[in-house]
Amino acid sequence: MNYFSSDFKLGILGGGQLGKMLLNDTRKFDIYTCVLDASNEAPCKIASNEFHLGDLMDYDAVYNFGKQVDVLTYEIENVNTNALEALEKAGVKVYPSSKTLKTIQNKAKQKLFYVDHNLPTAPFSRFAYTSEIEDALNHGGLSLPFVWKSTQFGYDGTGVKIVKSVADLDGLPNVECIAETLVPFKNELAVIVARNVSGETKTFPVVEMEFHPEANQVEYVICPARIPDAIAKKAIDVALKTSEAFNHVGLLAVEMFLTQDDTILINEVAPRPHNSGHQTIEASYTSQFEQHLRAILNLPLGRTDSKVGGVMVNLVGAEGFSGNVVYQNIDAIMNLNGVTPHIYGKKQTRPFRKMGHVTIVNEDLNEARKVAEQVKKTIKVISE
Amino acid sequence: MNYFSSDFKLGILGGGQLGKMLLNDTRKFDIYTCVLDASNEAPCKIASNEFHLGDLMDYDAVYNFGKQVDVLTYEIENVNTNALEALEKAGVKVYPSSKTLKTIQNKAKQKLFYVDHNLPTAPFSRFAYTSEIEDALNHGGLSLPFVWKSTQFGYDGTGVKIVKSVADLDGLPNVECIAETLVPFKNELAVIVARNVSGETKTFPVVEMEFHPEANQVEYVICPARIPDAIAKKAIDVALKTSEAFNHVGLLAVEMFLTQDDTILINEVAPRPHNSGHQTIEASYTSQFEQHLRAILNLPLGRTDSKVGGVMVNLVGAEGFSGNVVYQNIDAIMNLNGVTPHIYGKKQTRPFRKMGHVTIVNEDLNEARKVAEQVKKTIKVISE
């Protein structure tokens, strides 16, 4: 199939910032794109050839949209997978597959998948309802502290809570959930694996993530991670095995914990371009977005090594501000060395909402890390 | 003025490939954009917030479009400059200025500008009509060979001819023109200067251009140019003086000849992103397109040095092919080291039409140059 002709249509489910950055790279290849999103203010509304309004969890909306395209992908996990499955049966190429997404969508299923495939992950118990946890604690089937995770619709830190006492269970939704052993870790790492339809595989360098204490969102991504080569190799091996186990097509971002005793444990995966790969736009030979396109269109994968060191800072809404967004001091950060802001184009800010990111590149990674701190101190996402 | 709010509107005259790549970088900053172009199939039709149909040489079309925006720029020189002048009077910020464009639009005026400002350029004579040249030859006011250039609307090699004999004058349009001394040169160089509204100035590295013999179009751009530092310094000095002389705002691409005796002579300038700067997208810390935006929005300019070596290959329509375009072997070149194709999205190809470009980046410039030759040999822009 000729992707570079207007007979070809690429469908993207979700019109958020990931879709927007993916669309940017479709422009380089002049690929005809159709986007489905529920919001008329979605960042993807421009830069796509066709923008369709519809609920991504609605079977008919997804099916009818998908029927019009040749290859279908998604920038968010919360998508109607039954519709994806029906589309696959109808001959639409869905990458990553509905089977993969069904496994990943449910955190209990995802964890069981790791166990079934001998992939390292922290011990856990599954509960049909949060209300069952207290019994398990009383009867010794579970001990404090642990990490509570709702099995579905967790995003940007929602649906996850560290439970240190029974009281911490109060106010948690009474849904299917898992209780995961709280792993004391040195470091959170991530590796993005790209795998095309023919099975060609490439990995981006291991990155190091620094999280915001309250918001449970990535604050800095540092590429490459400042860890020994032997550990980097271990992390890449785990990521490759995971992609292999899923028989994955497209990008798979594998988030991992590095424990005190240098064990690698899979935290969770995302079957799409990922926040831990944004720095590839400026730092890598191939951006994660271009690589995802190459993979799902079964084109040869691009180089994944870095031209320079890269640090990524998320721009999240400041606490205490909601409403029409203002990027305070954005011109000041543009005066710093190797700084590129990426504004996602969301009109409204609210505390901890992802509004953009800033990439800092430098031949010296430590210098980039210093500038990143200045960026963090200087720019503020507030409201009018 | 807050460029990062939806109250602000950036206008772009011209919806071709340069506008398209400029729009790509407006997405990073979420800048609201309006594009005016005469073709309903212009590459800029998507990725702009508003696309307006209209003739860029028509006073009313340009004026009425420009009145709706805060800052107005252009991606092509063939624009109605009287409308730009009126817009400046009406308070619209036009960058680069109408005065600059009026000087550059007419090659005789442009050459006189260099002379008036003691900027080095090849000797020339101006003629009101091509028909006057033969007299000048007969009366010894001019001698063969020389380069004939129509003073207006030269683009992609049209409007330029090397005249070796009187017979070569046959068939040339009888228009205002210049006859320029044919300079035997070692090399064609270019430097892109960025200057923002406050007068902050930065230059991209000197690049080396290899031209296609027949088409008089750039075939390879090599960054940095493989020339001694002393010559690079000379070229950059000339480029900076030129930008200064124009009191320029935005990008100014200065094309130069390096003569046998290492003199730098200005060939011509372009007041916009330029073909000789496309490799900056992958090779430089800041792409020329982002830099143009930073300059005209009076933001701090970005780093202009290179992360890696870059070579750019133009994708022009193959001889003997016209009609619906096909990019033969595009997947094969994507399998080569450090290759990124940029397809402009023009539906129809014709011989030597600029349909796209390919950037090849590598830590070793000579390696990139080798891959560029493979790219050139492999991909072919043909028709269905």
Side-chain angles (χ1 to χ4, degrees):
Chain A
M1 191 181 305
N2 179 10
Y3 307 118
F4 303 95
S5 87
S6 48
D7 322 336
F8 174 80
K9 289 186 178 187
L10 172 66
I12 303 171
L13 297 169
Q17 62 264 24
L18 297 174
K20 178 191 172 179
M21 291 184 271
L22 190 63
L23 283 176
N24 241 11
D25 280 345
T26 64
R27 298 297 82 235
K28 277 195 306 208
F29 300 156
D30 192 44
I31 291 165
Y32 191 97
T33 52
C34 310
V35 173
L36 181 70
D37 194 89
S39 164
N40 215 352
E41 284 200 344
C44 284
K45 194 162 181 191
I46 71 169
S48 55
N49 296 80
E50 296 177 22
F51 181 77
H52 299 248
L53 269 178
D55 179 353
L56 301 175
M57 294 307 294
D58 180 74
Y59 181 95
D60 293 335
V62 171
Y63 185 82
N64 295 332
F65 171 80
K67 275 297 283 176
Q68 306 166 49
V69 304
D70 301 289
V71 172
L72 183 63
T73 190
Y74 39 88
E75 56 118 45
I76 184 168
E77 287 88 338
N78 299 338
V79 164
N80 187 303
T81 49
N82 294 332
L84 296 186
E85 202 176 352
L87 286 164
E88 286 164 340
K89 291 204 180 84
V92 177
K93 292 173 176 154
V94 179
Y95 302 128
S97 71
S98 63
K99 187 160 170 288
T100 296
L101 186 55
K102 278 185 177 184
T103 306
I104 291 170
Q105 262 184 351
N106 182 295
K107 285 198 176 133
K109 276 209 192 107
Q110 193 185 137
K111 293 280 286 186
L112 286 166
F113 180 87
Y114 302 141
V115 175
D116 294 346
H117 291 79
N118 303 313
L119 295 164
T121 192
F124 72 103
S125 323
R126 177 199 167 270
F127 297 94
Y129 299 97
T130 306
S131 56
E132 295 174 354
I133 293 179
E134 210 167 328
D135 285 0
L137 284 169
N138 296 336
H139 301 85
L142 182 70
S143 57
L144 294 162
F146 61 82
V147 183
W148 174 92
K149 290 179 178 176
S150 121
T151 58
Q152 285 178 61
F153 302 107
Y155 192 63
D156 282 1
T158 64
V160 178
K161 189 178 184 184
I162 295 175
V163 176
K164 299 192 178 100
S165 70
V166 177
D168 290 338
L169 291 167
D170 298 350
L172 287 178
N174 192 26
V175 293
E176 185 193 19
C177 58
I178 60 171
E180 190 177 63
T181 304
L182 182 61
V183 184
F185 56 83
K186 282 187 207 170
N187 223 328
E188 293 204 48
L189 307 174
V191 173
I192 294 176
V193 183
R195 197 163 171 280
N196 73 10
V197 181
S198 310
E200 182 193 5
T201 302
K202 283 193 178 166
T203 56
F204 285 95
V206 183
V207 301
E208 192 184 328
M209 296 184 288
E210 290 179 34
F211 274 68
H212 184 288
E214 294 113 67
N216 186 40
Q217 285 182 325
V218 177
E219 197 168 23
Y220 297 104
V221 171
I222 299 161
C223 179
R226 296 160 300 181
I227 54 172
D229 292 354
I231 291 173
K233 200 189 160 310
K234 227 193 275 184
I236 285 169
D237 288 347
V238 168
L240 281 169
K241 284 201 186 76
T242 310
S243 160
E244 192 66 43
F246 280 112
N247 190 17
H248 199 72
V249 174
L251 294 186
L252 186 72
V254 183
E255 294 185 58
M256 295 168 274
F257 298 119
L258 178 66
T259 66
Q260 300 298 343
D261 62 352
D262 287 342
T263 307
I264 297 281
L265 296 176
I266 300 169
N267 175 15
E268 59 179 18
V269 300
R272 51 167 173 80
H274 191 254
N275 194 248
S276 65
H278 290 349
Q279 75 292 337
T280 59
I281 296 172
E282 285 83 10
S284 175
Y285 276 89
T286 309
S287 87
Q288 67 167 340
F289 300 98
E290 178 178 337
Q291 198 76 307
H292 186 65
L293 291 172
R294 286 177 177 242
I296 64 176
L297 301 181
N298 203 28
L299 292 164
L301 299 177
R303 280 180 71 169
T304 51
D305 51 333
S306 298
K307 296 168 186 166
V308 286
V311 177
M312 192 279 298
V313 177
N314 276 322
L315 289 182
V316 300
E319 286 181 272
F321 294 92
S322 292
N324 294 338
V325 64
V326 175
Y327 301 92
Q328 198 176 51
N329 301 329
I330 187 165
D331 41 358
I333 68 162
M334 288 175 79
N335 209 3
L336 300 172
N337 189 348
V339 168
T340 306
H342 291 259
I343 304 301
Y344 297 154
K346 299 173 184 177
K347 305 270 165 283
Q348 303 285 312
T349 184
R350 56 175 184 265
F352 302 116
R353 185 179 192 193
K354 279 186 189 164
M355 300 301 287
H357 75 266
V358 180
T359 310
I360 302 93
V361 285
N362 197 289
E363 43 281 68
D364 173 356
L365 182 61
N366 296 320
E367 181 55 32
R369 182 65 184 75
K370 279 192 205 120
V371 173
E373 262 180 63
Q374 278 177 273
V375 165
K376 193 85 196 162
K377 283 201 211 89
T378 308
I379 190 166
K380 227 176 161 211
V381 181
I382 59 175
S383 51
E384 286 175 350
Chain B
M1 191 181 305
N2 179 9
Y3 307 118
F4 303 96
S5 88
S6 48
D7 322 337
F8 173 80
K9 289 187 177 185
L10 172 66
I12 303 170
L13 297 169
Q17 61 263 25
L18 298 174
K20 177 189 173 180
M21 291 183 270
L22 191 64
L23 283 176
N24 241 11
D25 280 346
T26 64
R27 299 295 85 235
K28 279 195 306 207
F29 300 156
D30 192 43
I31 290 166
Y32 191 97
T33 51
C34 311
V35 172
L36 181 70
D37 194 272
S39 164
N40 215 353
E41 286 200 339
C44 284
K45 195 162 180 193
I46 70 169
S48 55
N49 296 80
E50 296 177 22
F51 182 76
H52 300 248
L53 269 178
D55 177 353
L56 300 176
M57 293 307 293
D58 179 76
Y59 181 95
D60 293 335
V62 172
Y63 186 83
N64 295 330
F65 171 80
K67 276 295 283 177
Q68 307 167 47
V69 305
D70 300 290
V71 172
L72 183 63
T73 192
Y74 39 88
E75 57 118 44
I76 185 168
E77 287 89 337
N78 299 338
V79 163
N80 187 303
T81 49
N82 293 330
L84 295 186
E85 201 174 354
L87 286 164
E88 286 165 341
K89 291 203 181 84
V92 177
K93 290 174 177 152
V94 179
Y95 301 126
S97 71
S98 64
K99 188 160 170 289
T100 296
L101 186 55
K102 278 186 177 184
T103 304
I104 290 170
Q105 262 184 351
N106 180 295
K107 285 197 177 132
K109 275 207 190 105
Q110 193 185 139
K111 293 281 286 187
L112 287 166
F113 180 88
Y114 303 140
V115 175
D116 295 346
H117 292 80
N118 303 314
L119 295 164
T121 192
F124 73 101
S125 321
R126 175 197 169 270
F127 296 94
Y129 299 97
T130 307
S131 57
E132 294 174 357
I133 292 180
E134 210 167 327
D135 285 1
L137 285 168
N138 297 336
H139 300 84
L142 183 70
S143 57
L144 295 162
F146 61 83
V147 184
W148 174 91
K149 290 180 180 174
S150 120
T151 59
Q152 285 178 62
F153 303 106
Y155 191 63
D156 282 2
T158 66
V160 178
K161 187 177 185 186
I162 295 174
V163 176
K164 299 194 180 99
S165 70
V166 177
D168 290 338
L169 291 167
D170 298 349
L172 287 177
N174 192 26
V175 293
E176 186 193 17
C177 58
I178 61 172
E180 191 176 61
T181 304
L182 182 61
V183 184
F185 56 82
K186 284 188 207 170
N187 222 328
E188 293 204 49
L189 307 174
V191 173
I192 294 175
V193 183
R195 197 163 171 280
N196 73 9
V197 181
S198 311
E200 182 193 5
T201 302
K202 283 193 178 165
T203 55
F204 284 95
V206 183
V207 301
E208 193 183 330
M209 296 184 288
E210 291 180 33
F211 275 68
H212 184 290
E214 296 112 67
N216 186 39
Q217 285 182 324
V218 178
E219 196 167 25
Y220 298 104
V221 171
I222 299 162
C223 180
R226 297 160 299 181
I227 53 173
D229 292 354
I231 289 171
K233 202 189 159 306
K234 227 193 274 188
I236 285 169
D237 287 347
V238 168
L240 281 169
K241 284 202 185 77
T242 310
S243 161
E244 191 67 42
F246 279 112
N247 190 18
H248 198 72
V249 173
L251 295 186
L252 186 71
V254 184
E255 294 185 57
M256 294 169 275
F257 298 118
L258 178 65
T259 66
Q260 300 299 343
D261 63 351
D262 287 342
T263 306
I264 295 283
L265 296 176
I266 300 169
N267 175 15
E268 59 178 19
V269 301
R272 51 167 172 81
H274 189 254
N275 194 247
S276 65
H278 289 349
Q279 74 291 340
T280 59
I281 296 171
E282 286 84 10
S284 175
Y285 276 89
T286 309
S287 86
Q288 67 167 343
F289 300 99
E290 177 177 339
Q291 198 75 307
H292 186 65
L293 291 171
R294 286 177 177 241
I296 65 177
L297 301 180
N298 204 28
L299 292 163
L301 299 178
R303 278 180 71 169
T304 51
D305 50 333
S306 297
K307 296 168 185 167
V308 286
V311 177
M312 191 278 298
V313 176
N314 277 322
L315 289 182
V316 300
E319 287 182 89
F321 295 92
S322 293
N324 294 338
V325 64
V326 175
Y327 300 93
Q328 198 176 51
N329 300 331
I330 188 164
D331 41 358
I333 67 161
M334 289 175 79
N335 209 4
L336 300 173
N337 188 349
V339 168
T340 307
H342 291 259
I343 304 302
Y344 296 153
K346 299 172 184 177
K347 306 269 164 284
Q348 302 287 313
T349 184
R350 53 173 186 269
F352 302 117
R353 185 178 191 194
K354 280 185 189 164
M355 300 301 289
H357 75 267
V358 180
T359 310
I360 303 94
V361 285
N362 197 290
E363 44 281 69
D364 173 356
L365 182 61
N366 297 321
E367 182 54 34
R369 181 66 183 76
K370 279 191 206 119
V371 174
E373 260 178 64
Q374 279 177 274
V375 166
K376 192 83 196 163
K377 283 200 213 90
T378 308
I379 190 166
K380 226 174 160 216
V381 181
I382 59 174
S383 51
E384 286 175 350

